[in-house]
Structures are given as structure tokens and as C-alpha cells.
Amino acid sequence: EATTAALRDAILQYHFEYGRWPVEDDQDDRADFAENNYEVVERLLIDHGENYKNIPFIYIEDYDTDDNTGAIVDPWGDPYEIEFKFDENTVTVDSVNTD
């Protein structure tokens, strides 16, 4: 799906630019953002303090979002799952509704 690819690409671009993932520094070997991906997404926005170069990795208005959490959601209204495997230096983005 286009949204999962776009989110993954934006996260990878952030990682390339800053040399770190767009998450809190105190993570274990893995981190999963299944319920609310906004914690990751907000760092990709141009006006977030962690994005101090003000690079527009994504434009939130291009996506459907949850009105309460700000999370980017799939066509069924469920947040996209973002999983980091820090020990493998990888990230995956998926929809719970993907077959």
C-alpha cells in the first residue's frame, strides 16, 4: 500500500538525515507503536523540535488521521503499526487490515 511505503520512506529519510530513529532515546532493542503512531509521526513534521532542520518528511494533511490521537490511520480507521528493531537497524510499517 502507498501509505505504508510513504511512512516507511519518511522514517528512513529521517534516520538517514539525523543518524537516529524518530523515537525516544531510551528504547530497548525493539519498539512497537501499534496503538498510536503519532509519537513517531510528530517527529517527522516540519515544526517538531526533534526535526531541528525543519525538513518536511511528511505532510500530515495528506493522510487520514484519528481525531483523538492524531495517529495516521488506514482506510478502516485503524492506526498503522510502526515497529522498530533497533538491534537489526530496521523499521516496518503495516496495517492490521492487510491480508
Side-chain angles (χ1 to χ4, degrees), residues 6-69:
L7 282 173
R8 184 175 184 278
D9 289 348
I11 292 167
L12 291 172
Q13 290 171 5
Y14 181 101
H15 185 262
F16 178 79
E17 185 65 36
Y18 291 114
R20 57 185 162 79
W21 296 108
V23 295
E24 291 291 327
D25 291 333
D26 60 348
Q27 301 292 332
D28 294 325
D29 287 344
R30 296 171 188 250
D32 185 17
F33 298 87
E35 296 297 319
N36 185 0
N37 60 40
Y38 191 71
E39 185 176 334
V40 175
V41 169
E42 70 178 338
R43 293 168 189 267
L44 304 173
L45 302 175
I46 196 167
D47 59 351
H48 190 274
E50 295 288 324
N51 185 0
Y52 59 86
K53 294 181 182 179
N54 291 320
I55 299 169
F57 295 104
I58 63 167
Y59 294 98
I60 195 77
E61 54 275 348
D62 292 344
Y63 300 93
D64 292 327
T65 57
D66 182 280
D67 291 337
N68 295 319
T69 66

